[in-house]
Amino acid sequence: MLNREQLLHLFGFLLNRKLLVIATLLLSVQMFSHGDLSERILLKTVEIIENPNNYELYYERGFLYQQHVDYTEALADYHKSKSLGNTDKILQYRIAEVHYLNEDYNDAIINIGKYIERDSIDVKAKKLEAQIFFELNEYEKSLESYRFVMQHMVDIRPEDILEYATIILAENNTNYKSAIDAIEFGMQELGANTLSLQLKKLEYLKKSSQVEKALKQYNYFILQYKRKEFWYYKKAKYLIEINRKKEANLTLKLATSSIAELATRFKNMPSIIKLKEQIKSLESTTNN
């Protein structure tokens, strides 16, 4: 397969537009196997050959390279675009983003800092800054940046809330109260039944030894979902972990009863057969 430099050399000889189109079609056989991005990169290269001083084309190809996970090529095009006069702030953001994606965190924080100097209230940039600080183990700075994100982000997603909670605990690994508060805030914004947040809340309640609240959280899942048998079993396991075997035994009986109420086609599923074996094994533990 021809590399980029060989392609550019070949294109240099193809001055006639018709021949250039033919060459593009021929080269597509070996390059388009990478998908639509490879095709678009190749076509953008053709445009650059015809307009070598157009900084927008270099930026556009750089972004295509970034999407293609060719970070070295992306940075080369971004810097070329900048050298040709591109002063758009988005270019500075992309340079920082590529350094972050390439795990060059020191270069990333320098470049996102330059962007924020121009736009200090850009939520996307503050989020990237928080992520970079996190990778640099500067958790206090990361948390400060992410607080800004939480206060100003319009379209919050569950993963944003989970990331925020992770940073809270990275900054202070005992601060489960603030982490749970963040999860609760997320559920207010996104809906009380957001599964990923409810699961994380359960995890944090258990890790912070808030036993009664954790049991209440298990009850939430039992009441919320039709397939209760699995949640009864999970709750029973937790009860054994905290040495409440009598309650665990009762919960296992509820799991067995829940299975008995299932339609035959469900009872014969491998997952249910395995669960019944797990219940028996756990019951033997509670009775010893």
Side-chain angles (χ1 to χ4, degrees):
M1 179 179 293
L2 297 176
N3 60 32
R4 179 169 174 262
E5 294 301 321
Q6 291 170 321
L7 282 170
L8 290 175
H9 181 72
L10 175 60
F11 285 139
F13 290 100
L14 302 174
L15 300 179
N16 184 285
R17 179 63 181 173
K18 292 182 179 179
L19 289 177
L20 192 57
V21 171
I22 293 171
T24 301
L25 292 173
L26 291 174
L27 286 168
S28 69
V29 173
Q30 67 172 205
M31 289 197 66
F32 291 3
S33 58
H34 291 282
D36 181 59
L37 277 174
S38 292
E39 177 180 354
R40 291 166 66 190
I41 289 169
L42 183 57
L43 294 174
K44 192 64 64 176
T45 299
V46 171
E47 291 185 64
I48 288 172
I49 290 170
E50 296 181 324
N51 301 277
N53 295 317
N54 187 321
Y55 63 70
E56 290 182 359
L57 294 177
Y58 279 99
Y59 171 78
E60 291 166 1
R61 189 177 66 176
F63 189 52
L64 291 172
Y65 275 129
Q66 180 178 336
Q67 293 173 293
H68 202 260
V69 199
D70 292 331
Y71 298 136
T72 300
E73 301 286 0
L75 279 175
D77 273 357
Y78 287 154
H79 285 299
K80 180 65 175 179
S81 180
K82 189 173 185 178
S83 72
L84 289 172
N86 190 347
T87 59
D88 196 325
K89 65 181 182 180
I90 188 60
L91 174 61
Q92 189 65 53
Y93 178 86
R94 293 298 178 206
I95 291 172
E97 187 177 44
V98 169
H99 279 300
Y100 170 71
L101 293 170
N102 204 35
E103 300 182 3
D104 301 325
Y105 301 122
N106 289 315
D107 287 330
I109 200 63
I110 290 170
N111 281 281
I112 198 60
K114 291 178 181 178
Y115 178 93
I116 291 173
E117 285 176 4
R118 299 176 62 180
D119 189 346
S120 61
I121 60 172
D122 188 311
V123 172
K124 182 173 63 175
K126 294 296 287 186
K127 181 178 179 181
L128 180 57
E129 181 184 54
Q131 292 169 327
I132 297 168
F133 275 134
F134 182 83
E135 296 297 340
L136 290 170
N137 299 326
E138 296 191 42
Y139 301 128
E140 188 173 347
K141 291 180 180 179
S142 177
L143 186 55
E144 181 182 351
S145 296
Y146 221 104
R147 283 198 187 104
F148 180 91
V149 174
M150 287 293 101
Q151 292 166 2
H152 296 89
M153 181 177 282
V154 176
D155 298 318
I156 295 177
R157 303 168 300 170
E159 49 266 41
D160 298 321
I161 300 297
L162 295 174
E163 188 171 39
Y164 181 42
T166 298
I167 294 172
I168 289 171
L169 289 174
E171 195 274 332
N172 180 350
N173 62 10
T174 65
N175 192 9
Y176 283 101
K177 181 183 183 306
S178 293
I180 292 171
D181 285 346
I183 298 298
E184 294 284 2
F185 167 76
M187 289 190 285
Q188 289 174 13
E189 294 293 312
L190 299 168
N193 296 326
T194 305
L195 179 59
S196 61
L197 298 183
Q198 288 286 4
L199 288 170
K200 186 59 68 173
K201 180 181 177 181
L202 175 59
E203 177 188 330
Y204 287 165
L205 289 171
K206 289 169 63 178
K207 287 184 176 180
S208 58
S209 300
Q210 299 185 58
V211 172
E212 296 307 319
K213 288 184 178 180
L215 291 172
K216 185 177 179 180
Q217 187 70 2
Y218 275 113
N219 291 339
Y220 160 82
F221 287 112
I222 291 169
L223 293 172
Q224 184 67 26
Y225 295 99
K226 293 181 179 180
R227 302 298 298 276
K228 305 177 186 301
E229 59 275 4
F230 291 101
W231 282 108
Y232 277 128
Y233 173 72
K234 290 176 184 290
K235 181 181 177 182
K237 282 186 67 177
Y238 178 63
L239 285 165
I240 290 174
E241 290 173 12
I242 59 175
N243 201 31
R244 287 165 65 162
K245 292 186 177 181
K246 288 184 179 180
E247 293 174 69
N249 196 43
L250 175 60
T251 304
L252 288 171
K253 292 184 184 301
L254 290 171
T256 300
S257 297
S258 182
I259 292 173
E261 294 174 2
L262 293 174
T264 302
R265 68 179 185 278
F266 292 122
K267 291 179 184 178
N268 294 329
M269 291 175 61
S271 59
I272 295 298
I273 293 171
K274 181 179 179 180
L275 179 62
K276 289 169 69 175
E277 294 172 354
Q278 291 173 322
I279 290 171
K280 287 182 180 179
S281 176
L282 209 55
E283 282 177 332
S284 65
T285 301
T286 63
N287 294 324
N288 291 333

